[in-house]
Amino acid sequence: MCGNHDSLPPSPPSRRGFLFTLGAGLSAVAAMLAGIPIIGYIFGPVRGRAGQAWITLGAVGSFPEGQTRLATYDNPFRVAWDGPTAKIACWVRRVGGEQFQVFAVNCAHLGCPVRWFQESRLFMCPCHGGAYYEDGSRASGPPPRGLFEYDYEIRQGQLWVRGGQLPTLAGPV
């Protein structure tokens, strides 16, 4: 015999080799799936999503003077899978005439939705007992500051707010 190994038939793959290849392939797929959100986070600012837009809340007459009302608007930067979460609530307080205050519904402490209580003229947070006066300033509890306010404008008898981005402590005070 001459030592020529070219004529030997190839050996069938072993069970161990097959399972190793299968495991390595599934691990690679899992790593790619886990990496998609990380890559999105890193390149998100480059994508340049718009921050805010002007949105109408309704006629000025639908907000009586001296009262606070809950209003909602559709997030202008929604995506198909947002569903009902694209509806954003805000509290509208008509101080008088064309002077308004429009507050985010979220507590400045941990973001729980605050409720307005007309009898006590206070906004109350159910999560940790935060309270705010009717002008949105902090009354008591753990919140570090008053309620977040939206910019607003009156255009042709309609109240418009600058929305589309939820306020955070990192934003302007």
Side-chain angles (χ1 to χ4, degrees):
M1 288 224 145
C2 35
N4 186 355
H5 297 287
D6 290 336
S7 61
L8 293 176
S11 61
S14 68
R15 183 177 188 186
R16 172 183 259 170
F18 170 75
L19 291 175
F20 177 79
T21 305
L22 180 66
L26 290 175
S27 296
V29 168
M32 286 188 329
L33 290 176
I36 289 172
I38 296 168
I39 291 170
Y41 174 77
I42 292 170
F43 292 109
V46 175
R47 195 172 55 196
R49 190 171 181 189
Q52 294 184 329
W54 288 96
I55 302 132
T56 183
L57 288 181
V60 170
S62 62
F63 302 102
E65 286 194 34
Q67 290 191 21
T68 301
R69 296 264 170 102
L70 185 66
T72 59
Y73 64 89
D74 284 327
N75 186 345
F77 306 107
R78 67 185 299 168
V79 290
W81 52 83
D82 283 346
T85 62
K87 291 264 188 216
I88 298 177
C90 59
W91 290 104
V92 178
R93 175 180 177 240
R94 187 170 184 182
V95 180
E98 291 191 348
Q99 185 181 1
F100 288 84
Q101 285 184 293
V102 183
F103 303 110
V105 75
N106 309 90
C107 177
H109 178 226
L110 293 177
C112 295
V114 297
R115 289 190 54 207
W116 169 248
F117 291 90
Q118 181 66 36
E119 304 80 28
S120 59
R121 304 198 66 77
L122 290 172
F123 291 101
M124 303 288 289
C125 177
C127 295
H128 299 107
Y132 302 89
Y133 295 115
E134 67 181 331
D135 67 353
S137 61
R138 180 185 175 275
S140 68
R145 53 157 289 163
L147 290 173
F148 298 100
E149 283 191 57
Y150 290 106
D151 294 331
Y152 74 91
E153 286 183 1
I154 307 294
R155 298 184 198 162
Q156 300 172 345
Q158 297 285 315
L159 176 63
W160 291 74
V161 293
R162 193 169 167 189
Q165 202 171 38
L166 292 177
T168 65
L169 288 174
V173 177

